[in-house]
Amino acid sequence: MSDLESLGDPDHQCTELCGPYRETAERNLEALDESSHIDALYDDLNLVREHAGLLFLALDRQAPGFTLPVRSVAILLDMDENDVAAALGEAPVRARDVVAFAIEYAGEEGYVGQSLTACFRHQLRSQPETDDTAG
């Protein structure tokens, strides 16, 4: 289960994957066979992209005028750089525009879409329960 899937999930059961993140250099990935090494690196890359999605949402809310280079947006969110540039231009782009484009580009399955879903789920779980029968 990814960090985004577990955010606000009442059925989430922590495993060793929930432990503190350890930097790559400390994990001795070179000792793994090639396939496991590649899997570990892709797991890290996906984790970074999940948290980039959360970061873009936070920037949109807290610093909507903050701009990022098109290449950074493409790398962090696993998008085609030419598609990002064609849609948003070559100049650095605002976080708000990144969020809107990322949702249009990859929908709910993209990293920003998954982040929005996770944040919404977390907000719902964080709300105090109300008595619907009161009236």
Side-chain angles (χ1 to χ4, degrees), residues 3 6 11 14 16 18 26 35 39 45 47-48 63 67 77 80 84 86 90 99 114 123-124 128-129 132:
D3 281 5
S6 65
D11 299 323
C14 271
E16 68 277 352
C18 294
E26 284 186 18
S35 178
D39 289 346
L45 181 59
L47 186 65
V48 167
T67 61
L77 295 178
D80 186 285
V84 177
E90 294 288 335
V99 168
Q114 290 178 40
Q123 287 174 342
L124 285 177
E129 291 191 29
D132 291 338

Side-chain angles (χ1 to χ4, degrees), residues 41-81:
L41 292 175
Y42 270 111
D43 287 346
D44 280 358
L45 181 59
N46 287 329
L47 186 65
V48 167
R49 287 177 169 158
E50 285 182 358
H51 286 267
L54 291 170
L55 179 63
F56 282 113
L57 292 177
L59 286 170
D60 179 33
R61 288 188 181 198
Q62 300 299 318
F66 183 83
T67 61
L68 297 106
V70 168
R71 183 171 180 79
S72 295
V73 172
I75 290 169
L76 288 171
L77 295 178
D78 192 26
M79 298 177 168
D80 186 285
E81 186 174 348

